[in-house]
Amino acid sequence: MFKNILFPTDGSPLSEKVTATVVQLAQLHGARIVSISVAQPFPFVPLSDGAVVPDAEVYETQIHQAAKSSLDKVAAAAGSAGVPFEGIVATSHNPYDEIVTAAERHNCDLIVMASHGRKGLNKLFLGSETQKVLAHTHLPVLVLR
């Protein structure tokens, strides 16, 4: 039924926990996993000439290494199970947009996401990438906790 499964991962313990389920789902359907980790660009803008700002280059390097590390864990799980895998590191202030675009670009027919299930003010202020993906894609989205 599903041949190309997109699995966004942020490297969180929840994403790591969900990885096993995604791999099993791919095995069940004879599907491949396309996993994406979105590195958010350097968020600091100096407000004045004398402002102390962390080194943007160091930040960018570390955030890309973290994204690659997240994908390496999914790749290892997929490889152990004999599931075809492709990893993507993207950079964007809007992870949901990269997720939706990757799903379309790689002909995915399902998006599987881990959700922290935030409620109340946390959801309002932190937002929900899962909710944004649901609002911007026509594909089925399986949300796991």
Side-chain angles (χ1 to χ4, degrees), residues 37-111:
S37 187
V38 182
Q40 294 189 337
F42 191 65
F44 302 105
V45 178
L47 299 176
S48 68
D49 290 334
V52 177
V53 178
D55 187 343
E57 191 172 316
V58 170
Y59 173 85
E60 297 287 339
T61 300
Q62 289 176 345
I63 201 76
H64 279 290
Q65 287 174 344
K68 176 84 171 80
S69 175
S70 298
L71 291 175
D72 288 346
K73 291 174 185 175
V74 179
S80 293
V83 172
F85 174 83
E86 181 177 349
I88 304 163
V89 174
T91 303
S92 177
H93 288 289
N94 300 310
Y96 79 90
D97 193 35
E98 291 296 327
I99 293 166
V100 171
T101 299
E104 292 170 1
R105 187 176 299 133
H106 294 275
N107 298 314
C108 294
D109 42 22
L110 175 67
I111 300 172

Side-chain angles (χ1 to χ4, degrees), residues 84 90 116:
H116 296 278

